[in-house]
Amino acid sequence: MMFGDQLDVLEKSLWFFCCFLPVNVGEDCPVFDGLFEFCQLSAGGSAAGSVKLNRQQTDIAVNWAGGLHHAKKSEASGFCYVNDIVLAILELLKYHQRVLYIDIDIHHGDGVEEAFYTTDRVMTVSFHKYGEYFPGTGDLRDIGAGKGKYYAVNFPLRDGIDDESYEQIFKPVMAKVMEMYQPSAVVLQCGADSLSGDRLGCFNLTIRGHAKCVEYIRSFNLPLLMLGGGGYTIRNVARCWTYETAVALDTDIPDELPYNDYFEYFGPDFKLHISPSNMTNQNTQEYTDKIKQRLFENLRMLPHAPGVQMQAIPEDAVPDDTVDEDAEDPDKRISIRAADKRIACEEEFSDSEDEGQGGRRNTANHKKGAKRPKVDEDKKESEEKKVDVKEEDKTKESSSEKAESKSTVKTEQTSSA
Ligand SMILES: [Zn+2]
């Protein structure tokens, strides 16, 4: 289904939803004034973030109004009405073979896991409190099904996890996931209810500890969509996502808060960072080591980086105003520059010569200007007049092949969302 249709369906189902109050709208998902607009902004923001990443217009896209990981295809759940994450991942799948979803909210990312439970095109990894806790799913033994077997990863945790233990589980698990799965895009749900002092949460992370996850994932230099999520001690949510925005930008910001309209909320210390509490960490080394070992055993079952069949790319969720393809003469060759603007992740879909140096899984291919070296090389060669006419034609042909590949490449539709 095209995204435009999806939005239509979304709009219709939202109206239906607001009018007829389906399952679970009520207690934790009340209908409120402006609900429709809220869902539009939240879901639209994440989808637009994916479009920007797909077009290589940014390396990191952020939507703090997104990350509503509990919403199901036809059920609102846990303060989540529309699963913006699933919509955003579907958008990324138009250009990316494998998308990695990581969830550091204290709650299990059940809606996203469910949507992609039977596919290997999305791997979901959730670190969450498990045991008599909402939503009740996310057992260590839930690993995906069918083609998606071993592509769902769950790290169940107990109360009171601190920065040190979290880092000791997060980094090795994610390193192994990256190595085995080799995603070409990453979605990170940064739910802030895993922070110390959250009104609903029971972990003991500081903002620095939470943001270490962002820092680590950022270090892989893959197209990254950062989303919000839970967080119920509001002043700490604002602190956390402010700091994580700075981490995304690789910028230092002072601990002293600048004066602002909400300054009084941040008393008595008026600082950016928070201290952990003295609560007991019930996640013993022995416990986390055991879980880690079990997850590694599952990850070893994965084939390295599964491939995907080639299919037509569905339309982008947001139309690109800069290119009017209808106005172009299809029989006319396009310039290398114009061909370069047509983004098709070439790394694993094409056997043509214009793959970047260093093999097919060069993650740098997704970065801006990744194709430039080849173009620059061509330019240099022609400047040096080493290229004869035949060769030049070949180059042009390969650039028009490249242009064509946009319409022939990839994506296997995922039925969920
Ligand atoms: Zn949560």
Side-chain angles (χ1 to χ4, degrees), residues 69-70 105-107 193 230 232:
H69 59 170
H70 296 305
D105 192 284
I106 196 172
H107 301 99
D193 45 11
Y232 305 95

Side-chain angles (χ1 to χ4, degrees), residues 389-415:
V389 179
K390 271 182 195 166
E391 285 240 358
E392 205 177 298
D393 275 349
K394 213 168 125 193
T395 316
K396 279 183 186 165
E397 262 165 38
S398 87
S399 63
S400 56
E401 263 168 38
K402 197 196 283 181
E404 271 170 32
S405 71
K406 195 216 169 190
S407 56
T408 50
V409 175
K410 80 195 92 151
T411 258
E412 178 189 89
Q413 277 297 87
T414 313
S415 58

Side-chain angles (χ1 to χ4, degrees), residues 115-345:
F116 302 110
Y117 205 62
T118 59
T119 179
D120 56 8
R121 301 235 10 232
V122 180
M123 178 179 270
T124 59
V125 185
S126 180
F127 298 82
H128 49 267
K129 151 89 180 164
Y130 184 71
E132 287 174 45
Y133 201 69
F134 185 85
T137 48
D139 193 285
L140 173 68
R141 290 162 297 185
D142 295 341
I143 54 168
K147 272 189 91 175
K149 191 171 176 191
Y150 302 118
Y151 293 93
V153 176
N154 284 301
F155 204 122
L157 292 162
R158 309 288 183 233
D159 288 12
I161 192 160
D162 56 24
D163 291 352
E164 200 190 333
S165 334
Y166 206 90
E167 190 175 356
Q168 275 175 17
I169 62 165
F170 187 82
K171 285 190 174 172
V173 169
M174 292 323 303
K176 194 78 194 157
V177 163
M178 289 289 188
E179 180 202 330
M180 298 303 287
Y181 192 56
Q182 298 189 5
S184 61
V186 181
V187 178
L188 177 59
Q189 197 267 19
C190 305
D193 45 11
S194 39
L195 291 175
S196 182
D198 188 80
R199 280 175 63 186
L200 296 186
C202 51
F203 284 176
N204 198 15
L205 297 179
T206 69
I207 288 167
R208 285 187 212 280
H210 196 268
K212 274 249 168 97
C213 302
V214 177
E215 212 178 297
Y216 187 61
I217 296 308
R218 186 188 187 279
S219 73
F220 289 92
N221 280 326
L222 292 165
L224 174 62
L225 177 61
M226 283 168 59
L227 304 173
Y232 305 95
T233 299
I234 307 299
R235 57 185 184 278
N236 290 347
V237 179
R239 285 177 159 120
C240 182
W241 293 343
T242 300
Y243 184 63
E244 287 175 354
T245 305
V247 168
L249 291 162
D250 199 16
T251 308
D252 283 327
I253 50 171
D255 193 23
E256 205 68 42
L257 291 175
Y259 185 76
N260 63 79
D261 289 350
Y262 305 94
F263 197 64
E264 67 204 79
Y265 287 84
F266 299 92
D269 58 316
F270 306 102
K271 294 280 198 292
L272 176 65
H273 287 285
I274 60 167
S275 306
S277 77
N278 60 0
M279 78 190 290
T280 317
N281 180 3
Q282 292 179 21
N283 303 273
T284 59
Q285 182 85 38
E286 195 192 351
Y287 170 79
T288 53
D289 282 352
K290 206 177 77 194
I291 307 277
K292 240 192 305 189
Q293 202 190 330
R294 291 277 297 278
L295 293 182
F296 286 154
E297 281 164 22
N298 289 344
L299 288 169
R300 271 199 290 272
M301 302 300 287
L302 290 171
H304 265 82
V308 66
Q309 261 186 322
M310 286 164 82
Q311 276 185 34
I313 301 181
E315 234 174 276
D316 287 349
V318 181
D320 187 355
D321 315 323
T322 58
V323 193
D324 185 1
E325 286 187 25
D326 292 341
E328 286 171 16
D329 180 355
D331 295 327
K332 224 177 123 189
R333 267 187 190 142
I334 63 163
S335 67
I336 292 175
R337 206 191 147 107
D340 253 24
K341 281 180 82 177
R342 297 186 169 180
I343 297 145
C345 157

Side-chain angles (χ1 to χ4, degrees), residues 37-97:
E37 203 194 350
F38 166 74
C39 293
Q40 266 183 321
L41 291 170
S42 166
S46 299
S50 291
V51 171
K52 276 216 167 256
L53 291 169
N54 283 345
R55 290 192 187 141
Q56 299 174 7
Q57 289 167 343
T58 186
D59 302 321
I60 302 179
V62 180
N63 178 23
W64 295 130
L68 306 184
H69 59 170
H70 296 305
K72 307 289 164 52
K73 192 173 178 181
S74 53
E75 184 188 348
S77 168
F79 315 130
C80 305
Y81 301 86
V82 171
N83 201 314
D84 61 291
I85 310 169
V86 172
L87 296 173
I89 292 175
L90 288 174
E91 191 62 27
L92 288 171
L93 287 173
K94 293 175 185 172
Y95 290 80
H96 294 274
Q97 267 203 80

